[in-house]
Amino acid sequence: MIGIGLIGYGYWGPNLLRNFWNNPHCDVKAVADARQERLSLVGKQYPAITLTTNAKDLLHNSDVDAVVIATPVQTHYALAKEALQNGKHVLIEKPMTANSAEARELMELADSKGLTLMVDHTFLYTGAVAKIHELVDSGTIGDLAYFDSTRINLGLFQPDVNVLWDLAPHDLSILLHIEKRMPRSVNATGISHTANGIENIAFMTVNYDHDFIAHFNCSWTSPVKVRQTLIGGKQKMVVYNDLEPSEKIRVYDTGYKHNSEEEKVKIMVEYRTGDVYIPKIDTQEALYKMTLDFAAAIMEGKAPMASAELGCRVVMLLEAAQQSINANGKEIKL
Amino acid sequence: MIGIGLIGYGYWGPNLLRNFWNNPHCDVKAVADARQERLSLVGKQYPAITLTTNAKDLLHNSDVDAVVIATPVQTHYALAKEALQNGKHVLIEKPMTANSAEARELMELADSKGLTLMVDHTFLYTGAVAKIHELVDSGTIGDLAYFDSTRINLGLFQPDVNVLWDLAPHDLSILLHIEKRMPRSVNATGISHTANGIENIAFMTVNYDHDFIAHFNCSWTSPVKVRQTLIGGKQKMVVYNDLEPSEKIRVYDTGYKHNSEEEKVKIMVEYRTGDVYIPKIDTQEALYKMTLDFAAAIMEGKAPMASAELGCRVVMLLEAAQQSINANGKEIKL
Amino acid sequence: MIGIGLIGYGYWGPNLLRNFWNNPHCDVKAVADARQERLSLVGKQYPAITLTTNAKDLLHNSDVDAVVIATPVQTHYALAKEALQNGKHVLIEKPMTANSAEARELMELADSKGLTLMVDHTFLYTGAVAKIHELVDSGTIGDLAYFDSTRINLGLFQPDVNVLWDLAPHDLSILLHIEKRMPRSVNATGISHTANGIENIAFMTVNYDHDFIAHFNCSWTSPVKVRQTLIGGKQKMVVYNDLEPSEKIRVYDTGYKHNSEEEKVKIMVEYRTGDVYIPKIDTQEALYKMTLDFAAAIMEGKAPMASAELGCRVVMLLEAAQQSINANGKEIKL
Amino acid sequence: MIGIGLIGYGYWGPNLLRNFWNNPHCDVKAVADARQERLSLVGKQYPAITLTTNAKDLLHNSDVDAVVIATPVQTHYALAKEALQNGKHVLIEKPMTANSAEARELMELADSKGLTLMVDHTFLYTGAVAKIHELVDSGTIGDLAYFDSTRINLGLFQPDVNVLWDLAPHDLSILLHIEKRMPRSVNATGISHTANGIENIAFMTVNYDHDFIAHFNCSWTSPVKVRQTLIGGKQKMVVYNDLEPSEKIRVYDTGYKHNSEEEKVKIMVEYRTGDVYIPKIDTQEALYKMTLDFAAAIMEGKAPMASAELGCRVVMLLEAAQQSINANGKEIKL
């Protein structure tokens, strides 16, 4: 049994706690939160769990083998570092850290200590993303040509991070999961409608050295909620609409090809349109599967799917996007 | 009666001919097209119209008061220039010209000759755009905060212009129609999946000096057709879905406001969500209304709604977008 | 404080318990369920509540002022009768009883004892139905012309009641809530695809003496889930789509009128179509509002919105529908 | 070449004329319409066609081998009879005749003369219905369990026939095309909101001796347009949405089965849900394919797909539905 200590019982903490509680390989030993009223909620429902307002207590608790960090992003680095230094495995809420230098340092520390370091990119564990991954990996949709994601909503304005840091990690993690090659560069633009200058609308392009492009449209200021990603392959194209209750994935047997070598002068593109196919997808709770992967990574000493490497790359892309916005959309090499 | 001469009877020509034919102020006198088989089609349906394979004949035809140019964009400038030099009013298919220098030269020529020069930005004459303009102009939706357009499809790859030149003129004309202030700069990114290097997917941000941003997502390579624009105001937000058969415009009584001056440190945004309202919109054919506006502009000597100025600005933005793509997304000042 | 005793802790019981628990006028004293494992669940979460496997204990418990019956429909009558005889107020899960004679007897008993008898037609307390009721009551949509409801799904086949008894109570209660006049008769048809002869698909028409008709399409055997009701008025029409997360109600400013008296020979109907309006609706939990109404009815001695009279009428209509199906669709007078 | 004479150039006539004109096996010789202004329209576009205001002229025209009747339903019988008596093949607009006795008499007359008699149930020639037929015929969806059609709209009130005669022929023809067994009986209910007593809303159930049921919901008085049919098989279920521009057919790999023989007492139904599949369907114009089938039937002496037998059965069902409405929903045996 892996003894689990959870730091942070805010919005996401209760979900993490419930799923680790149900995980047969884990035993939740302690929860830390600076707010006494949050701890009371834990105590009522889980009387056996040790409660503390001081995260340090938990980091030094010998019952705790693995620490789950669900606090604001600015605090991730220091908490994770201390946990790793104390020999604890670590799961960090996404985004992993406030900058990529911190992320890399944590990765090196975990490596040197032989500890598991993982980032909670829950979306990777959804049935929908598993299906997309399968379609890409099996070659069914052919070489990837583009990835175009829209995640807009009337969303809570965050006081400390912009809309990309808030919303794009989901889609960036999916991108990095299905296209393993490292991007070349990032461009981003955006606008802040508030006095603090934090962007509430932003657009991000991720450029690659091969024949592929990714784009992200994020907004806290849309009257309609859209969570849609188009994933174009040379053979087929996928539309992933996360708001559909069950039909989240549509596979279009749609493609195009060039006719001949003469195309360089005069392009003649031929389209093919065919059936549409809506695969049934697994509806098991993604967060639960994430906790299973964390436990398996610890027990078997292997990298989890939502690896620190992937989490670090997400931070690198967000960091580059922020730099690009600050430099009026200039391309930022990675 | 205004004598009309039409140059180019390809995809759009028949629609222009039919609508000018029905326009009570116009009399279509001549049609020119280099392809004899296209002229035969005109001859069968409109035996009274003079046909020629040589556009010059038409430009020198004294029955022709106004020339309508519906040929590939590269030919617009030379044809329009000769028409204006011969004292003809001119309507040009969008985009106006292949570059903004040409567009400006034509404008100056038309001005100096006292002739009407107009660009066929048909979308401005749709009931939907008229309604959006009314909502903006009346102050109903409040100060504009953003404009976010997606126009993607499995589209015909053009051999000479990229996807922005093909698809964005519609949305750029709508933007310039409702937000009269000149943008500051443009950023764009994109990718070409064909050997000729012409982008089939592109993303474009239009930046302003005031608190407003516009973004355009254009693709010929999407398995699904989307033609949607979000127009956010400080009071209300509009979703314009051009694929809806009748409910094209949805007005959301949705907004947000900041609570206090202290926001600069800690932003507290309060949302307001309310009713949604789908106004009935005029369904009269937009192209016909465009021909009426052209005739009125000629007869009354006033600028038409789809003015040369607006058409020229569309070309400036497209030109800047191409420059930005070529410079890896760099901001191009206008 | 009203002492509440709940009988039946199956599918709906936990929702009832949670909402009565939160109701400031109520104090849940006891829960009865024949299954010990269900009672354990209550005990874990609500240690203060008295538990019993014998409903009789609860009916004779002097702490209990009001009994909530959430058991299979065949048991409603006997339990409610004994509760009323013991001087308890009663709330019964819908449908009220297995036949209308039982329902009427319970109503008379409650009346004679001066006790509140109510049926949990939760839908009446939703924001959507409240809005529809307001639109009808205020005369906004004009005289009602028709009510057409479709409630189909891949639903759990019930072993004891047909699909109308399972699904139609929701829509029948809404119908009776907005159109107070008593229907004249019922026709129904249906089919059973199982060996027990219980209909899994059924269609029901409710006829009125005035210019109005209602129709219900219910199925447990549809691959798609539909929960939609059209409510046509002489001035406007409403589409109520309960599957829409927030835009459940659409009001169409659509109507038609006859031109003249000569219509009897040659009808000339003129249509009017106008704006569509999607009112914001209250999203407070309906079940909680139902418990508030129950408490208010007891405390103030007034009839609740989901009155026994309405619940009894629902049963009468279901009973008539079953008779009609059994008689091959024959009209059954009420 | 088959010489075609068309009677009636109203709403549908121009479509018939255009398609017969393009049919390589047919030569349209004459058009009759009592209204001179309608004939002028024909003359302008098709100067070679003989025009007459008297249908008799056409029926006796020796150039005419086949007569196409596109007049109001009350006139179908007399015109078709005279045409057949004069040795002409006949195509009749749907519904075939005003009653089934007339339909049967025409069938017998055509048989005795060895002439082709066909009804223009165009829907049978659509790609969507062809695909449904293929799915049923190949056994892909398994034994049919139900057919549930909704065809509602803000429709033109007809002065002479009710909404079932106007809208249901489409869906009834599809039903009879895919389920060849004859129904047992019909129930129908409806309401008239106009003084002439003609139903503008009606509901119809078609009962079978085997384990299958069909239902039809037709309205001229709906603010929303719906044209949807659910076709449930024991193996799969089809949703046919005719308003979808391209994705008209969705095949759900959805079913249910009973677990055991003990079901008669306690039904345990197990569901299976799986992928959804949207087949690409043929988009060739259905009306053109109908004219090809008419020509082939004449040339090869075989029954067309939209046979007189099928057309007659549609009339029988409509007739029975009217009788049932008049008898307050009573079952009418066929």
Side-chain angles (χ1 to χ4, degrees), chain B residues 77 80-81 84 90 92 96-97 99-119 303 306-316:
Chain B
Y77 166 72
K81 185 174 179 181
L84 291 166
V90 171
I92 313 182
M96 185 180 181
T97 50
N99 60 63
S100 60
E102 291 176 354
R104 227 166 284 125
E105 189 187 331
L106 293 179
M107 282 169 63
E108 283 160 17
L109 183 55
D111 276 356
S112 71
K113 294 264 189 176
L115 294 166
T116 291
L117 176 63
M118 174 169 167
V119 182
S307 68
E309 175 64 35
L310 187 146
C312 175
R313 287 183 173 192
V314 168
V315 172
M316 286 172 68

Side-chain angles (χ1 to χ4, degrees), chain A residues 191-195 198 200-201 221, chain B residues 145-146 211-212 234 256 258:
Chain A
I191 193 168
S192 170
H193 287 122
T194 49
I198 290 177
N200 53 301
I201 297 177
T221 326
Chain B
Y146 66 88
D211 197 20
F212 176 69
K234 292 283 161 71
Y256 57 96
H258 309 155

Side-chain angles (χ1 to χ4, degrees), chain D residues 96-117:
Chain D
M96 185 181 182
T97 50
N99 61 63
S100 60
E102 291 176 353
R104 227 168 283 126
E105 188 187 331
L106 292 179
M107 280 169 65
E108 283 161 16
L109 182 56
D111 274 356
S112 71
K113 293 263 189 178
L115 293 166
T116 292
L117 176 62

